[in-house]
């Protein structure tokens, strides 16, 4: 890990992480405003997922283009030194400058991280964008992140996810009891109240866990990703919706010291690149999910909505967990109150023009008139 | 208009539009990669609309921040020289470098422009993002724009709009006959088949037209904007959805010569700034619409959905217009085939996890459980 030692050395000397071709001595003002920088950015996903890993690549590409190649960020796959689900900790410790992740992987460390990603029966993906930019989310979340020496950028969203793959049908709450399920973070805390035994497993290892019977059920994201991971080959029933992620934000988390050492222009470029990567990831999911859905349905997958009784039981259990954690975690309580207040009125609007428009169009689609 | 003459002079000399402090002679390579540039960008909206005009301001702010103030773009209100609905033509002619507009204002010039904004029963706002970035939309639209010496960036979206303000209730198709309505572009072509007399009026002038009775009905965008324009004071019935704009894209249109003369870094920065402005505009609408909706309802506004018979008649009329224009306009046909093919399967996916999640949450909201 020579490059890390070298980087630390430079950092200790008070310089930003500087690439090989940059001058080691103080440079003139013009050059300093566009320094050469190289960052490493571990990601939480396998390379096969061109939506999530692809989003990380796009982010890096945009930054390079906007800086004429002077600011290079390199996505890295998780490995034994920096496991996919622990990339945030590598940013906090300063082992790397940044990571590209679903913040709720840090739920066990502090459940407040989940508000940077998804919480059960929380905001949908579109509302998350509004909350982040215009509802105070960005400020609140970054105030929390600061405790972990992180500055976060909203850089992607999966939008609402599926509820996952089950080997057998789940009709009532009783059918959930004793099920071993790959399900992460906050959702695990909720669903365990209903008798499910949750397990946190990285995306790349889900197929094997389901195939071997280590788990009876597993959720990942949605048709495109799930098809890539081959999950339809090892479980027949595909449930919806993923009530624990009406939208899952992807963040680029940056070491706070590294962030603050950047020129303002580079900070602005990173923010804009995150917005571009966000729209890319959402757009690619939406563009690719329909074909993937057709493919898995053709292979025999059976779609099933969660029953109302299961949804209601999960909603009740989620509210219990919110109350329990809020009672003992001030940061969590503050974030939850912000999200809850924002959520209260959002559907007043989104049910009106958008939902009515979409419903009319869905009916035309079913009539094969589109 | 001295500044325009000066700019044209510089352009004629083969230089990009260069600010006062830049050297007039050939500069060294480093300086050329970050030249000082000043652009003017007329917009199609009044300053009171902090969503649309605000989006233009944000775009300019991001570009300035990312270039350390070297690339300055100034939003300008429409006036008698460059009317709000004709800003595109000022870009084509080279009178200004860029504009911020709803491209369908150019529908009368060529209906193909509407695909850069909204078409009746077309893609919703989220699908438009996917089509633009991953469905070939960006390439197809810019190939068309090139005929008008324009390069376009997707820089905002209103998401689904309301159907507008009516002085009297509209229950059947017969109620539409003879109505004078402020409604623009493509929708005007469709709704005139049902006996409506459409009028294209800039946002700032709608209130007066409705108040004076020049029109009997008028559509603009949605609760926040419509409340700002005061439309609820001059018409009682507020219909939904705006079937002619399931999402309305806002574009920054740039003079193609100006675009191509930019350094690649500046092109990358403009693209990223457009993505940021896009997310800002969508987020601000979503954050502000619920409160505006409450306010206009408290003032006596009556919400009404368009009846199924009206929606069906409009859908049929829209398909007739698509066929008529496609028969005589190759560009239009090409864009329509792309949008139609993309639309065909989009609801297969969006009706599943997203719509089911949202429906469950809407029910909880009505039960006052959120």
């Amino acid at each position: 890990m020579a490059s890390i030692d070298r980087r630390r050395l430079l950092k200790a000397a008070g310089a930003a992480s500087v690439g090989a071709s940059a001058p080691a001595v103080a440079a003139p003002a013009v050059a300093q405003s566009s320094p050469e920088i190289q960052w490493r950015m571990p990601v939480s996903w396998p390379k096969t997922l061109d939506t999530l890993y692809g989003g990380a690549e796009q982010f890096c590409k945009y930054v390079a283009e906007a800086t004429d190649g002077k600011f290079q960020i390199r996505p890295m796959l998780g490995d034994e030194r920096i496991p996919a689900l622990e990339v945030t900790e590598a940013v906090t410790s300063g082992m790397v400058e940044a990571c590209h992740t679903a913040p709720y992987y840090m739920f066990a460390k502090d459940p407040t991280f989940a508000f940077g990603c998804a919480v059960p029966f929380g905001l949908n993906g579109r509302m998350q964008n509004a909350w982040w930019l215009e509802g105070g989310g960005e400020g609140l979340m970054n105030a929390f992140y600061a405790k972990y020496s992180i500055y976060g950028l909203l850089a992607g969203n999966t939008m609402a996810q599926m509820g996952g793959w089950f080997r057998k049908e789940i009709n009532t709450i009783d059918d959930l009891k004793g099920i071993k399920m790959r399900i992460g973070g906050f959702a695990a805390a909720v669903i365990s109240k209903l008798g499910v035994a949750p397990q946190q497993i990285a995306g790349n290892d889900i197929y094997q866990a389901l195939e071997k019977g280590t788990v009876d059920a597993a959720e990942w994201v949605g048709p495109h990703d799930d098809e890539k991971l081959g999950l339809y080959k090892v479980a027949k029933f595909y449930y919806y919706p993923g009530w624990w992620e009406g939208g899952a934000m992807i963040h680029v988390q940056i070491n706070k010291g590294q962030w603050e050492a950047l020129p303002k222009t580079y900070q602005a470029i990173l923010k804009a690149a995150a917005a571009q990567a966000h729209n890319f990831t959402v757009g690619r999911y939406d563009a690719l999910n329909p074909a993937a859905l057709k493919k898995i349905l053709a292979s025999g997958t059976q779609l099933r909505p969660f029953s109302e009784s299961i949804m209601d039981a999960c909603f009740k259990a989620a509210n219990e967990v919110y109350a329990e954690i809020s009672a003992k975690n001030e940061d969590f309580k503050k974030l939850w109150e912000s999200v809850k207040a924002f959520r209260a009125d959002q559907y007043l609007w989104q049910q009106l023009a958008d939902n009515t428009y979409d419903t009319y169009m869905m009916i035309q689609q079913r009539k094969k008139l589109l």
Side-chain angles (χ1 to χ4, degrees), chain A:
Chain A
M1 304 214 344
S3 64
I4 288 177
D5 291 340
R6 190 180 147 278
R7 193 184 53 74
R8 285 196 173 147
L9 194 68
L10 285 164
K11 203 173 155 190
S17 178
V18 175
S21 60
V25 294
V30 169
Q32 274 183 340
S33 72
S34 305
E36 296 204 11
I37 297 182
Q38 292 172 8
W39 278 8
R40 285 145 318 133
M41 184 174 79
V43 302
S44 293
W45 358 88
K47 206 164 181 173
T48 44
L49 299 183
D50 56 353
T51 44
L52 296 170
Y53 188 87
E57 286 181 318
Q58 290 292 321
F59 174 76
C60 300
K61 179 173 165 280
Y62 300 142
V63 173
E65 285 175 357
T67 61
D68 202 17
K70 285 178 184 154
F71 194 167
Q72 295 282 347
I73 306 175
R74 188 163 56 86
M76 293 163 58
L77 296 173
D79 58 20
E80 62 283 356
R81 290 167 307 165
I82 306 178
L85 301 185
E86 296 169 22
V87 293
T88 297
E89 301 190 65
V91 175
T92 295
S93 73
M95 187 189 285
V96 292
E97 296 85 1
C99 71
H100 186 264
T101 190
Y104 61 14
Y105 290 141
M106 290 283 286
F107 181 83
K109 196 90 173 181
D110 188 324
T112 314
F113 275 102
F115 293 103
C117 187
V119 295
F121 301 98
L123 304 172
N124 70 21
R126 179 172 155 185
M127 294 171 190
Q128 288 176 325
N129 174 68
W131 173 73
W132 186 260
L133 295 177
E134 293 285 311
E138 186 169 17
L140 281 171
M141 200 65 213
N142 273 314
F144 167 72
Y145 273 167
K147 297 186 176 184
Y148 290 83
S149 302
I150 286 171
Y151 184 82
L153 301 172
L154 174 55
N157 204 309
T158 63
M159 307 306 271
Q161 297 193 11
M162 293 293 282
W165 299 86
F166 291 75
R167 286 175 174 276
K168 58 169 194 154
E169 281 193 85
I170 303 293
N171 296 310
T172 68
I173 308 165
D174 287 341
D175 294 334
L176 285 172
K177 292 200 197 329
I179 289 253
K180 287 173 289 178
M181 182 171 183
R182 185 277 173 194
I183 185 167
F186 205 153
V190 174
I191 208 162
S192 64
K193 279 187 178 267
L194 302 174
V196 171
Q199 302 201 24
Q200 185 146 302
I201 299 170
N204 220 13
D205 304 323
I206 297 174
Y207 176 90
Q208 210 174 22
L210 204 50
E211 189 193 27
K212 282 188 176 170
T214 313
V215 293
D216 309 303
E219 65 84 34
W220 177 243
V221 175
H224 177 70
D225 284 3
D226 293 4
E227 190 265 327
K228 288 252 181 197
L229 297 183
L231 305 184
Y232 66 102
K233 296 176 190 162
V234 281
K236 186 175 175 188
F237 300 100
Y238 198 19
Y239 277 83
Y240 64 94
W243 45 262
W244 51 92
E245 26 206 352
M249 290 184 273
I250 307 305
H251 281 191
V252 168
Q253 295 174 330
I254 298 169
N255 179 278
K256 201 159 180 287
Q258 295 284 349
W259 171 256
E260 287 166 357
L262 290 177
K264 295 273 179 235
T265 50
Y266 280 16
Q267 290 182 346
I269 285 168
L270 287 180
K271 283 186 178 184
Q276 250 184 317
H278 179 278
N279 294 358
F280 163 85
T281 300
V282 174
R284 179 159 283 190
Y285 269 120
D286 284 341
L288 297 177
N289 269 330
L293 182 62
K294 283 185 182 179
K295 185 174 168 184
I296 58 182
L297 291 179
S299 79
T301 290
Q302 299 286 310
L303 284 175
R304 294 282 186 278
F306 283 127
S307 65
E308 198 181 336
S309 65
I310 288 179
M311 290 293 283
D312 286 346
C314 294
F315 185 60
K316 186 168 166 285
N319 285 333
E320 288 167 13
V321 177
Y322 280 119
E324 287 160 16
I325 306 177
S326 292
K328 58 189 180 194
N329 183 325
E330 272 302 315
D331 291 324
F332 182 94
K333 185 164 177 270
K334 190 185 284 183
L335 265 298
W336 173 226
E337 282 173 359
S338 168
V339 167
K340 203 178 171 195
F342 197 79
R343 185 186 65 168
D345 286 342
Q346 279 291 296
Y347 282 105
L348 285 182
W349 166 236
Q350 288 186 32
Q351 74 184 341
L352 213 60
D354 288 284
N355 191 259
T356 315
Y357 184 87
D358 286 339
T359 301
Y360 184 80
M361 295 302 283
M362 282 176 216
I363 293 168
Q364 309 317 305
Q365 194 271 331
R366 289 192 187 186
K367 287 182 181 171
K368 301 194 188 302
L369 293 176
L370 295 189

